[in-house]
Amino acid sequence: TLEEAFSGKEMVATITLPSGRDQTLSINIPRGIHSNQTLRLAGMGDDSIPNMPRGDIMLNVQIAQHHTYERQGDDLIQDLEISCIDAMLGKTIIINSIDGKQLESTVPAGTQTNAILALQGYGMPNFNDASRRGRVLVRMNIRVPKLTEEQKLKLRELDIK
């Protein structure tokens, strides 16, 4: 899962080697790993050829899609729907980070659809330096309500340009 890629994980797996022998492995999935990244377990592979060193096991990591975040490098993209009034006037919002923190930020007045609000340091840890983290990028989707004729007339009276 993306949460497991965020925090890292120790896994146990049993594989069958070409020799027919089952082998149980302890696998350390490091923080910040990406999908399609390969982990090499040196000397843990094929043992079927006598008097030859064992081969390596190459594990290809796959991270499941997340229900909230889309990953782009170390950044996490999240869509947020706000009302057109909140987009026009601005609003304080609360975003939940992947590690469960509640982040407060401000949608600036005049925000447009697809505008990005960047929260630095709350994304995924960097695979090579776990002390560095990416951003949470909040993509604004503005909800426009269906108006009654009376509401339309009142808005036309404002004549905002």
Side-chain angles (χ1 to χ4, degrees):
T1 66
L2 191 60
E3 287 84 358
E4 291 168 334
F6 173 82
S7 59
K9 182 177 182 175
E10 191 72 28
M11 298 178 72
V12 176
T14 300
I15 63 167
T16 302
L17 297 172
S19 64
R21 186 173 67 84
D22 284 343
Q23 178 171 314
T24 300
L25 303 169
S26 179
I27 304 163
N28 178 35
I29 306 294
R31 292 184 69 192
I33 196 157
H34 293 263
S35 264
N36 295 317
Q37 206 164 347
T38 301
L39 294 178
R40 178 176 171 242
L41 304 177
M44 302 298 288
D46 189 1
D47 64 351
S48 63
I49 303 172
N51 301 321
M52 289 291 294
R54 292 180 69 174
D56 299 339
I57 293 176
M58 306 301 280
L59 298 175
N60 184 278
V61 175
Q62 296 298 313
I63 300 172
Q65 271 194 320
H66 197 270
H67 60 279
T68 302
Y69 295 109
E70 172 189 329
R71 185 173 183 179
Q72 192 171 63
D74 293 336
D75 294 336
L76 296 173
I77 302 168
Q78 177 182 3
D79 287 320
L80 179 69
E81 187 175 277
I82 60 173
S83 74
C84 62
I85 301 298
D86 290 339
M88 288 187 285
L89 301 177
K91 179 180 181 168
T92 299
I93 58 170
I94 304 291
I95 299 293
N96 292 319
S97 68
I98 193 162
D99 55 349
K101 293 181 179 150
Q102 290 195 328
L103 312 174
E104 185 175 300
S105 190
T106 301
V107 174
T111 293
Q112 302 295 311
T113 292
N114 293 325
I116 301 289
L117 183 66
L119 304 172
Q120 184 65 44
Y122 294 101
M124 293 296 287
N126 181 276
F127 181 74
N128 297 313
D129 179 2
S131 67
R132 290 189 3 228
R133 286 181 60 183
R135 303 168 294 177
V136 170
L137 302 173
V138 182
R139 183 172 39 215
M140 301 295 153
N141 296 315
I142 299 172
R143 181 182 63 251
V144 179
K146 294 191 188 274
L147 302 174
T148 65
E149 287 304 315
E150 183 180 333
Q151 290 169 323
K152 289 178 188 177
L153 286 173
K154 287 182 181 180
L155 278 176
R156 284 189 183 103
E157 288 174 11
L158 291 175
D159 194 24
I160 300 172
K161 299 203 190 265

